[in-house]
Amino acid sequence: MSRCENCIIRQLNALKALSKDELKAISDSKTERRIKKGEKIFDENESLDGVFCVRSGASKLSKLQENGKDQIVKIAGSGEVLGKRSLIAEEKANLSATALEDMDVCFIPKKEITAKIYTNPAFTKELLQQLAQDLKNSENSTIDFASKTVTQRLAHTLLHLKSQAGEDRDGFLSLSLTREDLASVIGTATESCIRHIATFKKKGFIETQAKRIKILDLEGLKALE
Amino acid sequence: MSRCENCIIRQLNALKALSKDELKAISDSKTERRIKKGEKIFDENESLDGVFCVRSGASKLSKLQENGKDQIVKIAGSGEVLGKRSLIAEEKANLSATALEDMDVCFIPKKEITAKIYTNPAFTKELLQQLAQDLKNSENSTIDFASKTVTQRLAHTLLHLKSQAGEDRDGFLSLSLTREDLASVIGTATESCIRHIATFKKKGFIETQAKRIKILDLEGLKALE
DNA sequence: GGAGAAATATGACAATTGTCAGGTTTTGGG
DNA sequence: CCCAAAACCTGACAATTGTCATATTTCTCC
């Protein structure tokens, strides 16, 4: 069983502001969970009594639409704390979280977090700043959807996936989404997404091998977004 | 000169968590500003050393796009605290704020706010919850742009304007945006927006008088969104 | 109140995106 | 390794949205 005090992942989120003793308390009350690809971590409208700290693996945060399609809002990988917003707002989850790969997450009960918000100013500051960043990212994402074309959003998303999840030793994006999920991230129909990918291939910007994508011309993609 | 202690507007935002003494301190250091329709309150990339509490009048928060168009992210009216996100993130403004009507705002210097974040837990909690709400709204807005049609977004925006700003005695929306601004809120071309408005008129959902819009069939619009 | 500017409106057409239908390839479990 | 299911891909066409050109109406301010 791993200990929060020794976990490097916490450097990536607000938990880094906690003292060794505080981390020990969290460590004692947390539970580790292994989540298989495709499993849900939590569902929209679910009451969460804690947060999930992602140790490894990527997840998607999405919301089911009336037409039955799942609209992805964000891809969240290691270091992210899922359920943070719901915990702070004291509301049910607005989005559901689903594993895109096998994941290791730690569940930290609500009381461990809320207690510290009012007693550890450094932690509070981190939380506020994290929310402020999330808000900026979300606003910028809204702007992209409102004013950019599918081509631009695809280029942007591929570049984002490269910097967020990285590449494997063959140069392919480490996180390969299905075309359906990629289309949802971009906010378009699966077929439309596939066609734009085909265009990018023809233009030499990318190369694919089954669902995997390799970026060949970074500058070319940057010029598009 | 009005005093924060007596200002009812603060009930609408995180400032409501402050004590009378804290409000007095803020009141002494704040400056009131009257902003004319069309004027900018602050610009994107500007360093803000405080926040603007809106007493009256509506504003738009927007970001200039490469194509020269302004993408509106949000309409902010009385009670809203503009610049909050930048102050917390300790960053330059991500969006610019422009008056849509004549406005009265109070400028509150940064230090008045930051000091209280770590000393008044109730205020901190309000701030966190406000950011969490903003984040949820922004995420839901992203979802709408990513998955809804222009018709749906227009219907939704009209209903939102009605509940946010209300109607005048003739039943017209109190806040009348130009078609260009309305199009930007919706994320479409001005002409497209105008055409959808014409369609709504033909169907009896709304009525217009110059730029002003009156909602005739609330249920009809709700069914569309 | 009138002139000029700005905003609103409409037509015609192009470009983009969505949908449906059908194929092919890939994947994962036994 | 094989087979069924899932994912991927393509074509054909429809629907939506964007663009440009040009009226018409409304607003502004002198």
Side-chain angles (χ1 to χ4, degrees):
Chain A
M1 175 104 166
S2 62
R3 301 288 306 174
C4 298
E5 308 93 277
N6 308 322
C7 178
I8 48 163
I9 290 296
R10 73 164 200 281
Q11 289 305 327
L12 301 171
N13 58 46
L15 298 176
K16 68 172 168 237
L18 298 179
S19 70
K20 202 140 204 171
D21 281 348
E22 288 173 320
L23 285 170
K24 279 182 183 164
I26 286 188
S27 212
D28 289 338
S29 61
K30 80 166 204 288
T31 52
E32 288 182 57
R33 251 181 80 189
R34 171 163 280 270
I35 295 162
K36 285 221 195 76
K37 181 175 175 173
E39 264 184 65
K40 276 204 172 160
I41 306 166
F42 56 82
D43 213 336
E44 50 185 289
N45 262 319
E46 192 178 320
S47 298
L48 305 178
D49 27 61
V51 293
F52 298 84
C53 181
V54 180
R55 299 189 68 201
S56 69
S59 61
K60 62 175 171 182
L61 297 174
S62 63
K63 193 165 184 170
L64 198 59
Q65 300 302 102
E66 278 159 17
N67 61 18
K69 284 189 184 167
D70 216 29
Q71 179 56 52
I72 297 178
V73 174
K74 183 179 171 176
I75 303 291
S78 52
E80 298 260 3
V81 178
L82 307 177
K84 178 178 36 161
R85 200 209 64 81
S86 304
L87 184 140
I88 290 170
E90 298 174 358
E91 292 181 339
K92 295 183 173 182
N94 183 42
L95 306 173
S96 60
T98 312
L100 293 170
E101 309 170 307
D102 288 351
M103 299 179 75
D104 287 309
V105 305
C106 291
F107 175 77
I108 304 172
K110 190 176 191 162
K111 62 174 168 26
E112 291 297 326
I113 303 291
T114 47
K116 274 143 198 95
I117 294 181
Y118 305 112
T119 54
N120 183 335
F123 178 61
T124 308
K125 181 174 181 174
E126 284 297 332
L127 265 190
L128 277 169
Q129 295 203 333
Q130 185 60 63
L131 276 181
Q133 282 305 323
D134 286 354
L135 180 54
K136 181 169 85 170
N137 290 339
S138 178
E139 284 172 349
N140 287 338
S141 167
T142 301
I143 291 174
D144 285 349
F145 279 113
S147 65
K148 304 218 162 144
T149 64
V150 171
T151 305
Q152 290 175 308
R153 299 204 302 270
L154 174 58
H156 181 265
T157 301
L158 292 176
L159 292 169
H160 186 75
L161 283 174
K162 179 182 154 114
S163 62
Q164 187 183 14
E167 299 174 332
D168 63 19
R169 66 186 70 81
D170 301 324
F172 287 90
L173 294 177
S174 298
L175 178 60
S176 20
L177 300 172
T178 65
R179 296 291 186 260
E180 188 180 357
D181 277 346
L182 184 55
S184 177
V185 170
I186 292 168
T188 192
T190 306
E191 297 90 330
S192 179
C193 175
I194 289 173
R195 286 201 173 92
H196 282 95
I197 288 175
T199 308
F200 280 13
K201 276 203 287 193
K202 255 178 235 149
K203 293 192 176 169
F205 293 145
I206 61 173
E207 174 186 323
T208 68
Q209 196 173 295
K211 67 186 289 199
R212 298 196 306 154
I213 295 175
K214 184 198 285 194
I215 293 180
L216 297 176
D217 182 356
L218 205 73
E219 296 308 317
L221 287 180
K222 280 187 186 162
L224 286 184
E225 67 163 347
Chain B
M1 175 104 165
S2 61
R3 301 287 309 174
C4 298
E5 308 93 277
N6 308 320
C7 179
I8 50 163
I9 290 298
R10 74 165 200 281
Q11 290 304 328
L12 301 170
N13 58 46
L15 298 175
K16 68 171 169 240
L18 298 180
S19 70
K20 203 141 203 172
D21 282 346
E22 287 172 320
L23 286 169
K24 280 182 183 165
I26 285 187
S27 211
D28 290 336
S29 60
K30 80 166 203 289
T31 52
E32 288 183 56
R33 253 180 80 187
R34 171 163 278 270
I35 295 162
K36 287 219 195 76
K37 180 175 172 173
E39 264 184 66
K40 277 203 172 163
I41 305 167
F42 55 82
D43 212 337
E44 52 185 285
N45 261 319
E46 193 178 318
S47 298
L48 304 178
D49 28 62
V51 293
F52 299 84
C53 182
V54 180
R55 299 190 66 204
S56 69
S59 61
K60 62 176 173 182
L61 297 174
S62 63
K63 193 165 185 172
L64 198 58
Q65 299 301 101
E66 279 160 16
N67 61 16
K69 283 188 185 166
D70 217 28
Q71 179 57 50
I72 297 178
V73 173
K74 181 179 172 176
I75 304 291
S78 53
E80 297 260 5
V81 177
L82 306 177
K84 179 179 36 165
R85 200 210 62 82
S86 304
L87 185 140
I88 290 169
E90 298 174 359
E91 292 182 338
K92 296 185 172 181
N94 183 43
L95 307 172
S96 60
T98 312
L100 293 169
E101 309 170 308
D102 289 349
M103 300 180 75
D104 287 308
V105 306
C106 291
F107 175 78
I108 303 172
K110 190 175 194 164
K111 62 174 169 25
E112 291 297 325
I113 304 292
T114 45
K116 275 142 198 96
I117 294 181
Y118 305 114
T119 54
N120 183 334
F123 179 61
T124 308
K125 181 173 181 178
E126 285 296 332
L127 266 189
L128 277 168
Q129 295 202 334
Q130 185 59 62
L131 277 182
Q133 282 305 324
D134 286 355
L135 181 55
K136 180 169 86 170
N137 290 339
S138 178
E139 284 172 347
N140 287 338
S141 169
T142 302
I143 291 173
D144 285 350
F145 279 112
S147 64
K148 305 220 162 141
T149 63
V150 172
T151 305
Q152 290 174 308
R153 298 202 302 269
L154 174 58
H156 181 264
T157 301
L158 292 177
L159 293 170
H160 185 76
L161 284 174
K162 178 181 154 112
S163 63
Q164 186 182 13
E167 299 173 334
D168 62 20
R169 67 187 68 82
D170 301 325
F172 287 90
L173 295 177
S174 299
L175 178 61
S176 24
L177 299 172
T178 64
R179 297 289 186 263
E180 189 180 357
D181 278 345
L182 184 54
S184 177
V185 170
I186 292 168
T188 191
T190 307
E191 296 92 329
S192 180
C193 176
I194 289 174
R195 286 202 172 90
H196 286 279
I197 288 174
T199 308
F200 280 12
K201 277 202 286 193
K202 254 177 235 147
K203 293 191 176 169
F205 294 147
I206 61 174
E207 174 187 323
T208 68
Q209 194 173 297
K211 68 186 288 199
R212 298 196 307 155
I213 295 175
K214 185 198 286 194
I215 294 179
L216 298 176
D217 182 356
L218 206 72
E219 296 309 317
L221 288 180
K222 279 185 187 162
L224 285 183
E225 66 163 346

